[in-house]
Amino acid sequence: RAGWLDETGHPAHDLIHDAVLDAMSWQTEATLHGRAAALLEASGAEATEDLVAIGTHLESHLEALRSNGETGSDASHVAEHASDLLTSAGWRMVARGGHDAGTNLLGRAASLRRTFGLPSVEPEIEHALALVESGQMSEARQRLRSIDHDAVEQDPRLRAYAGVVDSALTLYSA
């Protein structure tokens, strides 16, 4: 063990990590990432960094499934859970001044929802808001334009939320 693993039991170097993953079947990799996420959650992990770690393990789990054609309802449930964790961690990062990291996490959360066919309008709006707050106005404008406007128009709450973000974008861009 000494030298190969760090104090948390993870490979001590990225090359070791990559070699181990390359030697595994995708099913084993997906299972291990799922187990790692479950262990972290079972430990009562609630710190922002823990949520990021769990969400990242779930993303890796989903990527292994998706790259091998496994995109059924089980994968959608995992994607929804990972998205929720990354959204929570993203807003926590933004709240403590980590705008770029938080914005990245919110973008990953929205992307998971899109990839697995889950409702993604609200996470897309949240990502646009975080982009505005981090000063990335052109990216925020692009994100707002890419949102399913038919879905926004059908939901008064989402229409109001998108309107507030659009107003903030206009205000801060002036």
Side-chain angles (χ1 to χ4, degrees):
R1 267 187 151 216
W4 292 94
L5 301 175
D6 65 17
E7 63 279 354
T8 66
H10 293 95
H13 194 279
D14 287 341
L15 289 175
I16 296 169
H17 178 263
D18 293 345
V20 169
L21 288 180
D22 287 345
M24 286 183 200
S25 70
W26 71 267
Q27 293 97 337
T28 302
E29 180 182 348
T31 299
L32 289 176
H33 280 296
R35 284 183 189 165
L39 285 170
L40 280 169
E41 281 193 287
S43 72
E46 292 183 13
T48 301
E49 291 75 12
D50 295 330
L51 296 180
V52 172
I54 296 166
T56 300
H57 276 294
L58 292 175
E59 278 182 306
S60 297
H61 174 79
L62 288 164
E63 181 55 34
L65 293 175
R66 191 175 66 80
S67 65
N68 288 282
E70 302 286 328
T71 58
S73 64
D74 289 342
S76 292
H77 290 299
V78 173
E80 185 171 23
H81 184 55
S83 176
D84 291 346
L85 291 169
L86 293 172
T87 297
S88 178
W91 283 120
R92 287 181 185 189
M93 287 279 199
V94 168
R96 66 183 196 198
H99 291 283
D100 291 340
T103 299
N104 177 283
L105 292 170
L106 291 165
R108 287 167 49 191
S111 178
L112 275 174
R113 288 183 162 278
R114 275 192 314 275
T115 300
F116 286 90
L118 298 166
S120 64
V121 173
E122 189 166 356
E124 295 284 0
I125 296 170
E126 289 181 340
H127 185 215
L129 177 59
L131 287 165
V132 169
E133 290 182 7
S134 66
Q136 300 175 55
M137 301 308 171
S138 62
E139 292 88 346
R141 189 169 284 108
Q142 183 179 2
R143 176 62 49 217
L144 278 177
R145 286 184 185 144
S146 72
I147 292 172
D148 179 358
H149 290 283
D150 290 337
V152 170
E153 289 304 314
Q154 293 174 10
D155 184 333
R157 187 181 59 80
L158 291 177
R159 187 171 53 246
Y161 192 14
V164 167
V165 174
D166 189 46
S167 295
L169 179 59
T170 301
L171 177 68
Y172 292 124
S173 294

